[in-house]
Amino acid sequence: MIFEADAETMPRSDLRALQDRRLRALAAYVHERVPFYRHRFEEMGLTPDAIQGVADLPRLPFTRKADLRDNYPFDLFAVPVAEMNRIHCSSGTTGKPTVVGYTREDVDLFARVCARSLAMAGAEPGMILHNAYGYGLFTGGLGLHYGGERLGMAVVPVSGGMTERQVMMIMDFRPTVISCTPSYALTLAQELQRQGVGPEGISLRYAVVGAEPWTETMRTEIDQRLGVRCTNIYGLSEIIGPGVSCECVEVRQGSHVNEDHFLPEIVDPDTGQVLPEGSEGVLVLTTLTKQGLPLIRYWTGDITSLSSEPCACGRTLTRMALIKGRSDDMLIVRGINVYPTQIESALGAVTELAPHYRLILTRQHTLDELEVQVEVSEEFSRTVAVEVFSDEMVEANEHLRALRARAGAAIRGTLGIGVTVRLMAPRTVPRSEGGKLQRVVDQRHLA
Ligand code: DLL
């Protein structure tokens, strides 16, 4: 089902004309209302009418997270706080959060793009949505909540955590759709398995997962273990929250960007030059219709590529590939750029391993060392009849040694460098409790 067919299937030439119009209005709007942008225009010697359409966008500088921080809390808002309807904050571990504000119209837009996303993911009016994204300052919970309600679903606002209770509610309420992070989907799958419930024993058919990087390996695992077709949902608080883009359940090859509202560009991470369609680079987004916190060329830091090839689902909206990682999550190990998702994909080819891993970075003298801790599957651990995976145990067991060597070879094949692999017993690598899972442990500052 397509929630807003007029917008989602608009001929691309009409869409471009609409983007041009909206961009002109945006340039005038921010120039008039946001001193930060007015100064930017002045610095560049530009008047708002220099921006006639999308083709002029590269003339404008990027907006970065630091700009939001420097204008903490409300100085980038384009309307007085009294006219705001809701305030969220972006996740961040240290220092002051990034604050985002929504007018009533923005909250309405947020609900509509989330309703679009849910519909893309297979949801329909009348279905129950088990919404396990965190509620609170994080945009995931409330975003999908309003989206589900707007679509006409019955939303269960479970939020994250209390996994046993969540499983009980999935068994008793019989939801058709679940929304949560991909890592939490696996935490739920594990709890279901512990209780002896297989995918055929639950009612779920669709899972809308996102908020953290994931891979095709995880997709297969989630599909099989929950008995669903899962789709990627992407977004960030600064732009609106979830609902910037979502995959269609029919094709699941790239997430349709709601580009009548969020204009995407892909730029070179080092030079900021706009790259041609299909190239991999940093995603930059411009909000075309947001009132409270309009942003021009926001540097997301997320690495992906775009494709406007026609899609079998009938939507004309451009598609973005699964996010490879954030440019600032990229690890440089002995000079090689490494994204955790590359390691995840490499490990996914080794069937005796489970998709639970952690990357530990240390520094020996001046050299960075990367240790990949990965769990063996429960089945394999039963076959080798080993419960504790100490280094000595692994050394003493030829099956484990061979498995460790294969895992190492798979990673070397992908990255071109060797890393240390440590096999872990099932259920010993930390799981998601509902929020975003931190897979990289950087101990280099301790060295
Ligand atoms: O994570 C919004 C969201 C909620 C998206 C629920 C999807 C589902 P922030 O907390 O501001 O907002 O974090 C945004 O998370 O820049 C990406 O680095 C990462 N991210 C979000 N969705 C995906 C995804 C929400 N599908 C940051 N794949 C973004 C990979 C994602 N990374």
Side-chain angles (χ1 to χ4, degrees):
M1 162 198 172
I2 301 186
F3 182 67
E4 290 184 320
D6 287 355
E8 294 176 66
T9 62
M10 188 182 286
R12 290 202 62 80
S13 53
D14 294 358
L15 181 62
R16 178 46 58 100
L18 176 69
Q19 291 171 328
D20 285 340
R21 263 200 321 278
R22 289 185 167 170
L23 194 59
R24 285 198 292 276
L26 172 75
Y29 182 78
V30 297
H31 185 269
E32 186 192 324
R33 289 172 175 250
V34 187
F36 168 83
Y37 280 121
R38 189 160 52 243
H39 296 149
R40 280 267 164 110
F41 274 80
E42 283 165 8
E43 273 164 29
M44 309 292 294
L46 294 174
T47 54
D49 57 15
I51 307 303
Q52 284 298 305
V54 175
D56 298 317
L57 198 54
R59 300 175 66 181
L60 295 176
F62 299 111
T63 308
R64 293 178 185 266
K65 198 170 186 93
D67 296 321
L68 281 119
R69 291 233 175 86
D70 294 347
N71 288 282
Y72 177 86
F74 300 149
D75 286 355
L76 284 187
F77 287 4
V79 305
V81 183
E83 287 172 33
M84 288 294 191
N85 200 214
R86 195 193 296 172
I87 307 236
H88 275 288
C89 290
S90 146
S91 54
T93 41
T94 51
K96 303 263 194 200
T98 331
V99 182
V100 296
Y102 304 69
T103 63
R104 193 170 295 281
E105 285 77 9
D106 294 338
V107 170
D108 181 69
L109 171 66
F110 192 12
R112 283 192 290 125
V113 291
C114 282
R116 280 190 194 181
S117 303
L118 283 161
M120 287 187 205
E124 287 174 20
M127 290 178 175
I128 295 181
L129 172 65
H130 180 101
N131 185 20
Y133 283 117
Y135 280 68
L137 290 173
F138 176 57
T139 50
L142 284 174
L144 270 298
H145 184 102
Y146 276 63
E149 287 188 350
R150 181 61 63 90
L151 184 60
M153 306 179 80
V155 185
V156 188
V158 219
S159 198
M162 296 204 274
T163 305
E164 249 175 75
R165 202 173 70 137
Q166 297 223 9
V167 163
M168 179 186 79
M169 294 170 90
I170 292 173
M171 301 302 294
D172 295 348
F173 294 7
R174 304 194 58 74
T176 310
V177 188
I178 183 168
S179 44
C180 59
T181 59
S183 53
Y184 194 61
L186 290 186
T187 300
L188 285 168
Q190 177 176 306
E191 177 58 21
L192 281 157
Q193 191 185 16
R194 196 188 64 84
Q195 296 187 16
V197 184
E200 62 298 328
I202 49 175
S203 53
L204 293 173
R205 280 169 49 206
Y206 306 107
V208 195
V209 306
E212 63 188 8
W214 60 302
T215 59
E216 293 299 330
T217 310
M218 291 264 284
R219 190 197 300 274
T220 311
E221 189 86 9
I222 296 170
D223 278 3
Q224 287 175 354
R225 295 182 62 185
L226 290 181
V228 294
R229 267 177 82 75
C230 66
T231 46
N232 182 46
I233 182 164
Y234 168 84
L236 61 167
S237 337
E238 295 90 319
I239 296 300
I240 198 150
V244 170
S245 70
C246 189
E247 282 174 343
C248 55
V249 70
E250 296 89 347
V251 179
R252 300 200 296 182
Q253 275 169 18
S255 304
H256 290 285
V257 182
N258 286 311
E259 29 163 7
D260 48 334
H261 298 289
F262 315 114
L263 182 72
E265 298 171 272
I266 296 291
V267 305
D268 184 300
D270 299 320
T271 64
Q273 287 297 314
V274 177
L275 297 175
E277 175 162 326
S279 321
E280 193 174 89
V282 171
L283 177 69
V284 168
L285 290 165
T286 298
T287 64
L288 291 174
T289 52
K290 241 173 53 170
Q291 298 179 340
L293 180 66
L295 292 179
I296 292 185
R297 303 195 84 202
Y298 186 70
W299 184 280
T300 66
D302 296 318
I303 307 285
T304 185
S305 59
L306 296 175
S307 160
S308 57
E309 288 286 300
C311 183
C313 75
R315 291 179 183 82
T316 50
L317 301 170
T318 202
R319 281 178 282 168
M320 52 182 263
L322 280 183
I323 301 282
K324 192 170 176 188
R326 296 181 54 79
S327 47
D328 46 14
D329 282 351
M330 187 184 76
L331 313 170
I332 303 185
V333 186
R334 298 199 286 283
I336 304 288
N337 298 349
V338 176
Y339 288 99
T341 52
Q342 291 176 293
I343 295 181
E344 183 173 311
S345 298
L347 295 175
V350 184
T351 50
E352 296 89 340
L353 298 174
H356 300 292
Y357 68 98
R358 266 203 323 177
L359 308 180
I360 315 285
L361 266 176
T362 51
R363 182 167 292 159
Q364 312 281 347
H365 306 295
T366 55
L367 213 57
D368 288 340
E369 289 291 332
L370 178 60
E371 176 176 291
V372 178
Q373 300 184 343
V374 57
E375 283 182 17
V376 306
S377 70
E378 307 224 2
E379 202 186 334
F380 185 73
S381 119
R382 274 195 298 276
T383 337
V384 292
V386 172
E387 273 165 23
V388 182
F389 284 63
S390 64
D391 286 350
E392 296 74 30
M393 276 291 193
V394 174
E395 268 325 314
N397 183 304
E398 61 173 312
H399 301 294
L400 291 177
R401 273 204 319 273
L403 176 59
R404 187 179 60 187
R406 273 199 292 134
I411 295 173
R412 197 172 326 107
T414 303
L415 302 182
I417 50 165
V419 301
T420 309
V421 175
R422 171 161 293 176
L423 298 181
M424 309 285 288
R427 303 179 188 217
T428 52
V429 168
R431 296 292 195 268
S432 163
E433 296 292 325
K436 297 177 195 245
L437 185 58
Q438 186 51 260
R439 294 189 189 273
V440 180
V441 183
D442 193 342
Q443 297 177 336
R444 285 176 300 184
H445 56 283
L446 302 173

